[in-house]
Amino acid sequence: MTLYGVHAGTEGASIDRVLDFWRTVESLGFDWISAWDHFYPIMGADGPGSFESVATHAALAMTTSRVRIGVLVYSVGYRHPAVLANAVSTIDHLSGGRAQASLGAGWAKDEYDGYGLPFPADGERIDMLTEGVEVLAGLLRQERFSFDGTHFQLDNATLGVRPVQERLPVWVGGMGEKRTIPLAARVADGWDSPLGPSAAEFARKVGVLERECERVGRDPASIHRSAHVAIVRDEQELHERFDTYEYAGVGGAVVFGSDQEVLDGLRAFEDAGADQVLLAGGVTEGTEQLARVASLLDL
């Protein structure tokens, strides 16, 4: 069975609008809500950016009562993964055991530069992600955890409080076939593909994930696979919303048209191997299309 959720950035929205949005999404029957981890606008706007993501994650925990909650994905360069593990464990308590942890390599160089954070080359950022996921998962899964890496070191470390969930899910986000997807296959409970790839390309990436699982002796069915899809009214809205979007090639993951065309577009990602489909966008875009999809899917 495929789980449907909503991934929406808080960029440009007031906090009251954000809270109302989350309540509406949960009332529509979706099973997941997540935000993104950015400080500056990423949709080509010059206006306000997003609320800070750890605080947003905590607010999401307190505003909802049923949905799984996450941030897709936390950037490994913004926070030490041990500090993040403590934050997510606390959020798990605030939510009554609904929190998800996640990590990605990060890509928004302007944010790193603006905040004076090191932004190394791609390979080194993947090195940091590899170590960061080990630290995040190790602390969340074990009472005591030591780690001696190049970027992160832990000495018999423990969390302030253990999570409510016996195994709090850890997600890895990214499309890299050489290191990121193999990392997810080796360590993570879930792999998240960002908005962009078509259903056919997503299916190809799932094939890479499954082969990597088999290579390390893991049942491919034991890792969740998440796809992001944007729903718009028509082709004009597609261009209005995404022509200035930072990611290239989002057209393959944008669905519009008749009700049947929308359903077919969503089912294509299910058939491609997604057991979680997230409707992607921003809080300021409202919930009209989300309500439409909820009705079509009979959530």
Side-chain angles (χ1 to χ4, degrees), residues 239-281:
H239 294 298
E240 289 173 353
R241 280 179 55 182
F242 294 107
D243 277 355
T244 56
Y245 198 61
E246 291 286 350
Y247 295 112
V250 299
V254 179
V255 175
F256 58 88
S258 67
D259 288 351
Q260 189 59 54
E261 287 172 318
V262 169
L263 281 174
D264 289 345
L266 295 173
R267 301 301 188 201
F269 282 89
E270 293 186 25
D271 294 341
D275 60 11
Q276 175 169 287
V277 176
L278 302 182
L279 306 186

Side-chain angles (χ1 to χ4, degrees), residues 114-232:
Y115 282 25
L117 300 171
F119 188 78
D122 291 354
E124 188 174 350
R125 294 204 317 281
I126 298 297
D127 290 341
M128 291 179 65
L129 173 62
T130 300
E131 292 188 12
V133 171
E134 295 276 7
V135 169
L136 182 65
L139 273 175
L140 289 170
R141 294 171 183 169
Q142 301 179 34
E143 290 285 345
R144 295 278 178 178
F145 184 69
S146 295
F147 187 83
D148 186 18
T150 301
H151 300 280
F152 306 111
Q153 300 84 37
L154 276 69
D155 181 13
N156 197 32
T158 188
L159 293 177
V161 293
R162 302 299 306 163
V164 173
Q165 298 173 81
E166 184 174 349
R167 184 181 176 96
L168 193 155
V170 173
W171 291 73
V172 168
M175 297 288 286
E177 298 181 19
K178 292 183 178 180
R179 299 185 62 188
T180 303
I181 293 178
L183 172 64
R186 182 169 57 85
V187 179
D189 301 292
W191 165 69
D192 181 66
S193 166
L195 180 66
S198 65
E201 177 65 5
F202 181 82
R204 193 182 69 77
K205 296 288 185 178
V206 168
V208 174
L209 178 69
E210 292 182 341
R211 288 192 294 274
E212 287 297 326
C213 285
E214 292 166 354
R215 187 178 65 83
V216 298
R218 178 178 184 179
D219 179 1
S222 68
I223 183 168
H224 293 290
R225 309 94 181 270
S226 180
H228 292 227
V229 183
I231 310 294
V232 298

Side-chain angles (χ1 to χ4, degrees), residues 7-130:
H7 176 68
T10 63
E11 180 176 308
S14 69
I15 195 62
D16 287 340
R17 188 168 185 180
V18 171
L19 300 181
D20 287 343
F21 178 91
W22 291 339
R23 294 185 186 106
T24 299
V25 169
E26 186 171 54
S27 71
L28 288 171
F30 290 100
D31 291 314
W32 170 290
I33 301 176
S34 55
W36 60 50
D37 189 19
H38 288 287
F39 308 114
Y40 292 176
I42 67 169
M43 298 292 284
D46 295 325
S50 303
F51 290 109
E52 194 280 326
S53 297
V54 173
T56 297
H57 202 171
L60 181 53
M62 299 298 290
T63 305
T64 59
S65 61
R66 177 185 54 80
V67 293
R68 303 177 194 180
I69 57 168
V71 170
L72 294 175
V73 286
Y74 283 111
S75 174
V76 69
Y78 292 162
R79 306 163 193 85
H80 193 293
V83 175
L84 180 61
N86 272 274
V88 174
S89 182
T90 298
I91 292 167
D92 202 40
H93 283 263
L94 293 173
S95 68
R98 296 179 288 119
Q100 316 279 303
S102 69
L103 215 55
W107 58 267
K109 186 176 185 299
D110 60 336
E111 297 182 345
Y112 282 81
D113 290 347
Y115 282 25
L117 300 171
F119 188 78
D122 291 354
E124 188 174 350
R125 294 204 317 281
I126 298 297
D127 290 341
M128 291 179 65
L129 173 62
T130 300

